[in-house]
Amino acid sequence: DAGVIQSPRHEVTEMGQEVTLRCKPISGHNSLFWYRQTMMRGLELLIYFNNNVPIDDSGMPEDRFSAKMPNASFSTLKIQPSEPRDSAVYFCASSYETPGATQYFGPGTRLLVL
Amino acid sequence: AQSVTQLDSQVPVFEEAPVELRCNYSSSVSVYLFWYVQYPNQGLQLLLKYLSGSTLVKGINGFEAEFNKSQTSFHLRKPSVHISDTAEYFCAVSEGGRRALTFGSGTRLQVQP
């Protein structure tokens, strides 16, 4: 099993640029989650999808952030325009859509906005 | 709203000693409880989880945790730690029908020779 795949693994960009993070969930999983990890705020949910439909986006910081899941095997998280405070590690996770199902995490994308 | 408190930000311990990492949660409804481990520059890996039934849950790498509903706790234990257990450990909860996890702030376990 390939596990959850995220790309890129590292991204360095300048303030104001658009950033797109990508995620391929585990085949057969129908729930997908985006989390952000920072020293100040720890691990926090940004958004999650069930069957490609956004269910809870209450964690999305503001309109600069958007997420899509056009099909069951691909999701993107876009930041436009990026700001230095967006610097963080962004994790994608996937699971089956059953209560208490284990979430499997990708290796993360480390984003640095200068 | 649910919340998770990990009481210790760092726990130093000598190799082969026992360890307990503490976790308390608050929720008004029934919850599912998880412990994840994060090694440096890696994603999170599930150690164990409590869904229902027996309150003592055994996980990978010799870890176990006990669910205590009256104290709203889910402490993680290992009777004898190894150097390779050095990592950050996260307690997490999902509440009712909400699939997303709420994480604690993490505990850094530092195993010394």
Side-chain angles (χ1 to χ4, degrees):
Chain A
D1 251 339
V4 176
I5 298 172
Q6 291 186 248
S7 64
R9 292 293 309 275
H10 303 273
E11 178 82 28
V12 180
T13 190
E14 294 188 346
M15 184 173 62
Q17 296 299 305
E18 177 179 297
V19 175
T20 299
L21 311 181
R22 297 173 176 80
C23 175
K24 177 178 170 56
I26 292 172
S27 178
H29 284 182
N30 45 13
S31 293
L32 183 139
F33 307 81
W34 283 99
Y35 292 93
R36 179 171 67 176
Q37 184 177 35
T38 62
M39 291 292 292
M40 293 298 295
R41 299 175 64 89
L43 272 160
E44 53 183 351
L45 175 77
L46 298 177
I47 185 170
Y48 84 92
F49 296 84
N50 270 355
N51 296 311
N52 313 337
V53 176
I55 301 299
D56 182 352
D57 65 354
S58 59
M60 295 287 266
E62 50 201 86
D63 291 347
R64 296 185 299 106
F65 284 68
S66 63
K68 294 182 180 179
M69 192 164 185
N71 56 62
S73 58
F74 184 64
S75 176
T76 60
L77 178 68
K78 186 176 293 187
I79 308 172
Q80 166 64 18
S82 58
E83 296 182 2
R85 59 189 168 131
D86 302 330
S87 298
V89 182
Y90 291 81
F91 289 104
C92 176
S94 70
S95 75
Y96 292 111
E97 191 196 352
T98 50
T102 298
Q103 291 183 26
Y104 294 84
F105 283 73
T109 295
R110 186 173 296 274
L111 173 65
L112 178 61
V113 183
L114 302 173
Chain B
Q2 59 200 15
S3 66
V4 180
T5 302
Q6 291 184 244
L7 298 166
D8 306 299
S9 59
Q10 293 189 63
V11 173
V13 63
F14 289 107
E15 194 173 18
E16 298 184 8
V19 70
E20 179 179 80
L21 305 185
R22 296 179 292 171
C23 173
N24 287 86
Y25 67 93
S26 66
S27 174
S28 57
V29 299
S30 62
V31 297
Y32 303 117
L33 295 157
F34 305 79
W35 275 99
Y36 279 85
V37 61
Q38 185 179 31
Y39 299 102
N41 299 315
Q42 294 187 27
L44 281 74
Q45 179 185 2
L46 182 73
L47 278 176
L48 49 79
K49 63 182 179 181
Y50 172 80
L51 302 183
S52 65
S54 172
T55 58
L56 184 63
V57 180
K58 293 190 183 298
I60 63 171
N61 301 340
F63 284 93
E64 63 180 32
E66 185 149 21
F67 170 59
N68 188 318
K69 187 175 182 179
S70 63
Q71 297 188 8
T72 60
S73 67
F74 191 54
H75 300 334
L76 181 70
R77 294 192 291 259
K78 186 170 182 178
S80 176
V81 295
H82 301 133
I83 295 285
S84 59
D85 293 323
T86 295
E88 185 123 21
Y89 292 78
F90 292 93
C91 182
V93 60
S94 70
E95 182 181 67
R98 188 171 187 266
R99 301 286 184 267
L101 295 173
T102 299
F103 286 92
S105 54
T107 297
R108 184 169 299 276
L109 177 64
Q110 182 69 42
V111 182
Q112 303 164 351

